[in-house]
Amino acid sequence: MNNSVTNTARLLGAGLRALLVLTLVTGVLYPLVVTGIAQGLFPGKANGSETEADGRVVGSSLIGQAYNLPLKEGQETPAPDLKWFQGRPQNGLGTNSVNTRYQLILSGATNRSGDNEELVQWVRDAKAAVVKDNSTDTYKVKPSQVPPDAVTSSGSGLDPDISPRYADLQVHRVAERNGLSTAQVRKLVEEHTEGRTLGFMGEPRVNVLELNIALKELTAKS
């Protein structure tokens, strides 16, 4: 009986020691080493790819933002602030989702099929809005000019980038709203257009946050 109790105590002690060692190694030392390496070699990425403007962090280059006007009384959906470049639609999880304004609570796609009636109507409404919002007195947008990323959300609903084609579509409207020439605004787009990763992966893209920061700086100088 005493031997049995003694063996049980030894096993419990060994198990406890193993638990403490593994906790120390995997729960303390390993995270500290990985964090230290990340901070030393990739501090920007390790800290969330933060983007700064005017001496403060204004967002992440990996997460899209909404550029909307303040909600008016009785208004459920905020109207876009058309002096800024607009990103992709934000209804990846539906118009009543907590994610509709890029709130970092959850992300995901609609999971609707291409012939889903509600999705088709979203695309039609978005296309009509893009045509209307980006047409000016001197430049009229045609429905055929609207690219897919202007009317569909990304798989995550948080895409920070738009296609150069969608950015170019917004040039006339942004120029007019900010008192700039189309040449000035188009140059900004060209300067902030990234090519394919390693020359062959992905598609050319424009980061909307970084483009709007550059637009704000240009407007301040003009």
Side-chain angles (χ1 to χ4, degrees), residues 7 30 66 68 72 125 132 141 154 162 169 210 215 221:
N7 290 335
Y30 178 74
N68 295 327
K72 296 180 180 179
D125 292 344
K132 177 179 179 293
V141 175
S154 63
I162 57 176
L169 185 70
E210 294 174 358
L215 173 63
K221 295 176 183 177

Side-chain angles (χ1 to χ4, degrees), residues 69-84:
L69 295 169
L71 274 173
K72 296 180 180 179
E73 186 176 351
Q75 191 179 37
E76 294 184 2
T77 304
D81 189 343
L82 297 179
K83 73 177 183 179
W84 303 109

